[in-house]
Every structure is written in C-alpha cells, then in structure tokens.
Amino acid sequence: GESVGLHLPTLSVQEGDNSIINCAYSNSASDYFIWYKQESGKGPQFIIDIRSNMDKRQGQRVTVLLNKTVKHLSLQIAATQPGDSAVYFCAENMYSGGGADGLTFGKGTHLIIQP
Amino acid sequence: DAGITQSPRHKVTETGTPVTLRCHQTENHRYMYWYRQDPGHGLRLIHYSYGVKDTDKGEVSDGYSVSRSKTEDFLLTLESATSSQTSVYFCATAGQGAYEQFFGPGTRLTVL
C-alpha cells in the first residue's frame, strides 16, 4: 500500500483542552481508516475507525473526521486527560477480494499532556 | 491484548542464529499478522495469514518466514538473524470481517 503519514511527530496540549491529531493519506483507493493508541511498552490499541463512505464518526470523547477530497484524516480527543498520553497512529486497510491485507501505518504522533 | 499472547516477550540473540517467535490467539480469528516496529518507520507488515497453511508476504518480508499449522498459532522465523532485524515484533489478529485488528503485547528482539 501507499504511505500514510502524519503532519506532526509531537503534540503537546493542556489537560482539559481538546486535542486534534492529523493524518494525510495518499491512496485514494483506501476504503477503511483506523486510529490506534499505543502506550509505552504495549501493543497498539484500537480507538475508532471510519469507512470511506462516511465523513465523521463519534465515539466516547473521540471523533474521527475524513476528508476524501484532500485525503486527510483527523482524530479529535475531547477534554484531554493524562491517560491520553501516548503515541497515536492512523492506518489504512485496503480490503481485497481474496481476504484482508494488513494495515499500512503512519509514523505516529506523540501526544503529551501538560498539567 | 485480550486473547493474544506472544512468546518470548524479550530475546537477545547473536547474528546468524535462527529465531522463532510465537503468536497464540484464543479468539478463533481467521486472519493473523506479523508487524515490526522501528523508530522512524512506525509499524510495517512482514507476513500475514488468511487461514491455516495460507500465508502471504507483506511489505518487509525478506529474511523472514512464517507458518500456520493451526488457527490459534502463527510462527515467525528468522532463519539467520541479522542486526537489522533488531526490532519490536507485534502479532495481530482479525476476525472474518477483517477490519479491526487486535494486537498482542509485542516481542522485543535484539540481535547482537
């Protein structure tokens, strides 16, 4: 698959503020996008996903926005808490007819929460 | 990480030695994946499996082989380890719908 990248390697926000993490993707054929959270020493943990036929999806304190026109994906975290400190990855999954290929990951954004 | 275990969790080995990493799942998921994670590269797909004895190459498959003799186990083998294979290795699984992938806790491999 083609690369999925992130605009900023590190994002620092105040506790209680909203966080926005951005991601650019290059493959217009991608039909599924995922955000993962990875805490130090652990495996990636699923946060939220969105299909290409949608432009917004909300979860608990998180919202993912998809802009296919400019191939941009964002993750919004409301009322950021210390437990949100982690590296966040966007990924795309091109589901092929013969089965599921793996995910193509961006390089990650490190979210730092300031007290 | 629920339902996915990886062994060993840490390993130090020497260049030229064979190494096998094991992924075990209790979710009865059809699809299994091996990724490596390196600074500056994020996670990259090594190999994946879409069923017992059915595997395919990913983005960075050179130097690695895999086997899946039963649904719950997916083995990653480095036939002759090199220092460039020092990395953290993650196993992941996905069910029949194959969208959301669940990751194991990772194996940290150091090749001296």
Side-chain angles (χ1 to χ4, degrees), chain A residues 36 38 43 93 100-101 103 107, chain B residues 35 37 40 48 90 98-99 101:
Chain A
Y36 281 91
Q38 186 177 26
N93 180 8
D101 295 337
L103 296 169
K107 291 181 172 52
Chain B
Y35 293 87
Q37 185 173 34
Y48 65 100
F90 288 99
Y99 284 110
Q101 293 186 17

Side-chain angles (χ1 to χ4, degrees), chain A residues 41-107:
Chain A
K42 297 184 178 180
Q45 178 184 8
F46 174 87
I47 301 174
I48 192 168
D49 58 4
I50 189 167
R51 299 193 184 193
S52 58
N53 61 353
M54 304 168 67
D55 54 19
K56 180 179 180 179
R57 190 168 188 215
Q58 290 184 293
Q60 186 177 11
R61 279 203 309 118
V62 294
T63 300
V64 56
L65 299 178
L66 176 63
N67 185 331
K68 294 181 287 294
T69 301
V70 295
K71 298 178 189 172
H72 184 267
L73 192 68
S74 68
L75 176 70
Q76 300 178 2
I77 305 173
T80 310
Q81 304 169 357
D84 294 328
S85 288
V87 177
Y88 291 81
F89 295 94
C90 66
E92 60 183 314
N93 180 8
M94 289 189 292
Y95 189 88
S96 63
D101 295 337
L103 296 169
T104 300
F105 282 81
K107 291 181 172 52

